[in-house]
Amino acid sequence: MSAEICLKRRTAPEIAAAKGGAPLVALTAYSALTARLVDPHADIILVGDSVAMVEHGLETTLGATLEMMILHGASAVRGSSRALVTVDLPFGSYEASPQTAFASAARVMAETGCSAVKLEGGRRMAPTIAFLAARGIPVMAHVGLTPQAVMALGGFRSQGHDEAAFSSIAADAAAVEEAGAFAVVLEGVVEPLAVAITARCKVPTIGIGASSACDGQILVLEDMLGFNERVPRFVRKFGALGEAADRAVADYAGAVRSRAFPGPEHVYRRKP
Ligand code: KIV
């Protein structure tokens, strides 16, 4: 009889307890294919609403829908077995009331099989985070540069430069932690603010364009693989897959046009 290997996923309480330990690795994945790539290496897979921009070609994340997040979330869950899969609640699906947020989050969890949801906003969303957490929904919070508020923020700009913004974002992080978030994404904030929040917050901070002092880091997979030419300044490209893919597609086109493909090894002969 073969021994069955049952790999258990990371859980939200485990992630929360990882505060101050080894840095947490988080990456986005929107499909089974990319989740399979990320899963062996990551603690958290985020099915981010950045999918609207990366995969659907939209200018902002505002066009992401619940249906889009559910389709991609279910696919990422199918492609992974170890990492905690967290799915973003899209713009318009949770802000109106805690009850609306619960209905959206419950649908996302039931229809994708994910283990947690993420939502954007600090103090204003704290009552909603408490409402979800009390009803068994693990919530990852997201403060600082919150892309769903891009129109109100006036663009994708780093946050926390003046004293008022610095203390306002610090208060946001404290409020979402107090409300029961199991981790807090800190996006696009000045480094001293990320350092200060990380020192004070009892749950892990996951930085993106923040600081290496955060308890973990997250990047959009396609950005760090080098698929996207234009990326935010804080992105380090760990690969050059865009160029490699372009070369492969050009080689294929050349082979087709010169009738070098399919070659004899790629065609089926009639059986004698
Ligand atoms: O949507 C997303 O991918 C995100 C991360 C970049 C934090 O929210």
Side-chain angles (χ1 to χ4, degrees):
M1 203 175 88
S2 68
E4 197 171 307
I5 300 167
C6 178
L7 292 175
K8 194 168 96 42
R9 277 183 195 279
R10 306 295 314 264
T11 65
E14 277 170 19
I15 298 294
K19 173 75 188 179
L24 291 162
V25 177
L27 276 168
T28 61
Y30 315 126
S31 66
L33 178 85
T34 52
R36 262 197 296 277
L37 177 70
V38 168
D39 193 48
H41 308 284
D43 300 292
I44 300 167
I45 289 176
L46 174 69
V47 184
D49 60 356
S50 51
V51 67
M53 299 168 74
V54 177
E55 290 286 350
H56 294 266
L58 298 175
E59 283 291 308
T60 69
T61 58
L62 300 181
T65 62
L66 261 185
E67 288 67 29
M68 193 187 277
M69 299 315 300
I70 288 170
L71 187 75
H72 290 284
S75 182
V77 168
R78 285 194 294 272
S80 59
S81 59
R82 290 181 62 254
L84 175 98
V85 178
T86 300
V87 177
D88 259 343
L89 293 184
F91 178 65
S93 73
Y94 63 94
E95 301 89 333
S97 67
Q99 288 78 6
T100 313
F102 181 79
S104 298
R107 200 178 147 206
V108 165
M109 290 188 75
E111 294 183 33
T112 65
C114 74
S115 307
V117 297
K118 176 165 82 59
L119 56 79
E120 295 184 9
R123 281 160 289 173
R124 74 187 164 84
M125 292 314 300
T128 295
I129 293 172
F131 190 87
L132 297 184
R135 285 159 183 77
I137 298 187
V139 181
M140 181 184 278
H142 184 156
V143 303
L145 170 53
T146 46
Q148 292 177 11
V150 60
M151 298 305 173
L153 293 172
F156 295 106
R157 296 203 181 93
S158 57
Q159 304 290 309
H161 290 274
D162 62 39
E163 202 42 57
F166 194 102
S167 26
S168 170
I169 296 169
D172 279 340
V176 296
E177 177 205 342
E178 174 71 18
F182 72 89
V184 184
V185 170
L186 297 181
E187 176 164 358
V189 297
V190 293
E191 182 168 43
L193 177 56
V195 172
I197 292 174
T198 301
R200 224 188 46 194
C201 194
K202 292 190 190 64
V203 295
T205 57
I206 312 291
I208 173 162
S211 168
S212 60
C214 290
D215 299 297
Q217 301 295 326
I218 184 162
L219 283 176
V220 168
L221 179 70
E222 288 75 0
D223 287 350
M224 69 79 123
L225 288 179
F227 271 113
N228 298 324
E229 234 165 73
R230 284 186 53 233
V231 294
R233 171 178 151 197
F234 57 74
V235 172
R236 173 168 157 199
K237 291 186 184 173
F238 287 83
L241 269 59
E243 284 164 34
D246 183 60
R247 267 197 311 277
V249 174
D251 285 353
Y252 166 74
V256 169
R257 291 199 177 106
S258 63
R259 297 196 188 280
F261 176 81
E265 67 277 35
H266 305 119
V267 295
Y268 297 103
R269 308 240 163 252
R270 284 184 81 176
K271 291 202 176 94

